[in-house]
């Protein structure tokens, strides 16, 4: 618990700084959009490529960790669809609201996940978090994008669009590049390695500042059952599922810790943009994102202490 709190405290401070900077007007809203894009498209791919390129694949439980996380995502998605089928009325889950609950329960903030894993477990934690990214992000896109198409946009599922989103996702292509570099034994050279390390060091601070800038505390004035349900499923249900599947598959040590981090962090900040773009309940998505980010300051260390 102490180690988790010590790792989380700097993240909370940087998040608060990002929130304060955004509210101060020092950086225009359009500036934050560009700032987050640089972190997402440049800084985070750098840290992922570098750590995967240097990872010892033989010493890390990539397959079992990936399988445990994929099973956790699929199980939680099944729970959400069951809620839609049997508890729509009491939870007031129309189509758009359901998609926000689904995103809130299943998706994860990889910015916070990478920062926590790096702080707790170093380079090995970053490499294992890249495994979590590969195991979860494509699956989450295949679950949430079609759900938004059917329940929110009311249109047909575009397989081409889903495939394009995956191909262009910086976390996916950078993970593939890092693995490829490692497998072929390519020597990047000291200048390239130093440049990747420099940009990678900027990734964690930039990503967490962007998370803080995106928080909307005023959204918490509108509580409701859907908000509570999505937050409980994400912050409590997902870590429990991950711990269960890790135990079933023999995932222990640092890999187990990374699995708990990846499932105990709040939902992805990009979920709001996806909800707005595809006709989901963007207001509810903002509520879910804000509440989970604040609540995870308590629930994440507890989950690590009890389950990792």
């Amino acid at each position: 618990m102490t180690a988790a709190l010590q790792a989380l405290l700097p993240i909370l401070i940087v998040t608060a700084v990002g929130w304060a900077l955004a509210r101060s007007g020092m950086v225009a809203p359009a500036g934050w959009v560009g700032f987050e894009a640089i972190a997402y498209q440049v800084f985070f791919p750098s840290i992922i490529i570098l750590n995967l390129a240097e990872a010892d694949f033989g010493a890390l439980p990539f397959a079992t960790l990936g399988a445990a996380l994929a099973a956790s995502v699929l199980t939680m998605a099944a729970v959400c669809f069951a809620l839609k089928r049997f508890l729509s009325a009491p939870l007031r889950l129309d189509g758009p609201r359901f998609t926000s609950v689904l995103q809130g329960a299943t998706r994860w903030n990889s910015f916070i996940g990478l920062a926590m894993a790096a702080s707790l477990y170093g380079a090995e934690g970053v490499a294992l978090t890249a495994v979590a990214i590969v195991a979860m992000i494509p699956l989450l896109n295949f679950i949430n994008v079609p759900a938004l198409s059917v329940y929110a946009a009311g249109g047909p599922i575009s397989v081409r669009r889903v495939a394009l989103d995956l191909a262009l996702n910086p976390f996916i292509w950078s993970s593939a590049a890092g693995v490829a570099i490692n497998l072929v034994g390519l020597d990047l050279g000291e200048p390239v390695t130093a440049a990747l390390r420099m940009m990678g060091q900027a990734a964690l601070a930039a990503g967490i500042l962007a998370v803080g800038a995106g928080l909307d505390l005023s959204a918490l004035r509108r509580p409701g059952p859907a908000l509570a349900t999505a937050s409980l499923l994400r912050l409590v249900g997902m870590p429990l599922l991950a711990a269960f599947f890790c135990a079933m598959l023999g995932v222990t040590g640092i890999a187990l810790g990374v699995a708990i981090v990846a499932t105990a962090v709040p939902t992805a900040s990009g979920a709001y943009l996806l909800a707005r773009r595809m006709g989901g309940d963007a207001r509810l998505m903002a509520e879910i994102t804000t509440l989970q980010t604040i609540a995870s300051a308590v629930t994440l260390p507890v989950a690590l202490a009890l389950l990792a």
Side-chain angles (χ1 to χ4, degrees):
M1 173 74 84
T2 301
L5 286 171
Q6 289 177 341
L8 184 60
L9 186 58
I11 296 173
L12 294 176
I13 292 172
V14 176
T15 302
V17 171
W19 179 86
L21 285 173
R23 299 309 172 277
S24 71
M26 182 182 298
V27 180
W32 282 109
V33 173
F35 181 75
E36 184 172 358
I38 292 173
Y40 186 59
Q41 300 284 353
V42 179
F43 295 158
F44 272 88
S46 297
I47 195 173
I48 290 172
I49 290 172
L50 181 63
N51 282 275
L52 281 179
E54 297 178 343
D56 181 1
F57 287 171
L60 299 176
F62 286 151
T64 50
L65 174 60
L69 290 172
S72 302
V73 169
L74 289 171
T75 303
M76 181 54 70
V79 169
C80 291
F81 280 101
L83 290 176
K84 175 71 172 69
R85 180 176 177 84
F86 299 109
L87 294 175
S88 285
L91 295 178
R92 300 198 295 274
L93 290 183
D94 59 11
R97 288 176 70 80
F98 165 69
T99 61
S100 292
V101 170
L102 180 64
Q103 286 203 87
T106 58
R107 297 188 64 185
W108 63 300
N109 193 312
S110 44
F111 287 173
I112 297 177
L114 268 170
M116 276 295 294
S119 181
L120 285 170
Y121 309 119
E124 186 174 342
V126 173
L128 287 168
T129 304
V131 175
I133 287 167
V134 173
M136 297 169 73
I137 288 182
L139 187 58
L140 289 168
N141 276 277
F142 279 119
I143 291 170
N144 284 285
V145 173
L148 277 155
S149 294
V150 172
Y151 292 102
I157 299 171
S158 172
V159 176
R160 180 179 180 276
R161 181 63 191 177
V162 174
L164 184 62
D165 285 343
L166 289 177
L168 297 178
N169 187 298
F171 291 105
I172 298 299
W173 65 253
S174 62
S175 296
V179 170
I181 291 168
N182 189 304
L183 293 179
V184 302
L186 179 64
D187 183 6
L188 296 175
E190 182 56 32
V192 174
T193 300
L196 288 173
R197 184 170 288 111
M198 187 181 299
M199 290 187 289
Q201 288 171 344
L204 303 181
I208 302 306
L209 283 172
V211 169
L215 292 181
D216 179 12
L217 298 183
S218 65
L220 298 182
R221 299 171 187 166
R222 300 180 291 270
L227 170 61
T229 299
S231 299
L232 285 172
L233 290 176
R234 174 72 224 165
L235 301 178
V236 179
M238 279 295 286
L240 289 173
L241 285 174
F244 171 76
F245 285 114
C246 283
M248 292 285 290
L249 295 172
V251 178
T252 59
I254 291 178
L256 173 60
V258 169
I260 301 304
V261 167
T263 50
V265 294
T267 191
S269 53
Y272 172 80
L273 298 177
L274 189 61
R276 191 171 62 183
R277 187 179 73 182
M278 297 191 65
D281 192 326
R283 172 178 287 188
L284 175 59
M285 198 69 252
E287 296 173 11
I288 291 170
T289 302
T290 300
L291 177 61
Q292 288 187 10
T293 302
I294 294 172
S296 65
V298 175
T299 58
L300 201 160
V302 171
L304 282 167
L306 296 179
L307 302 175

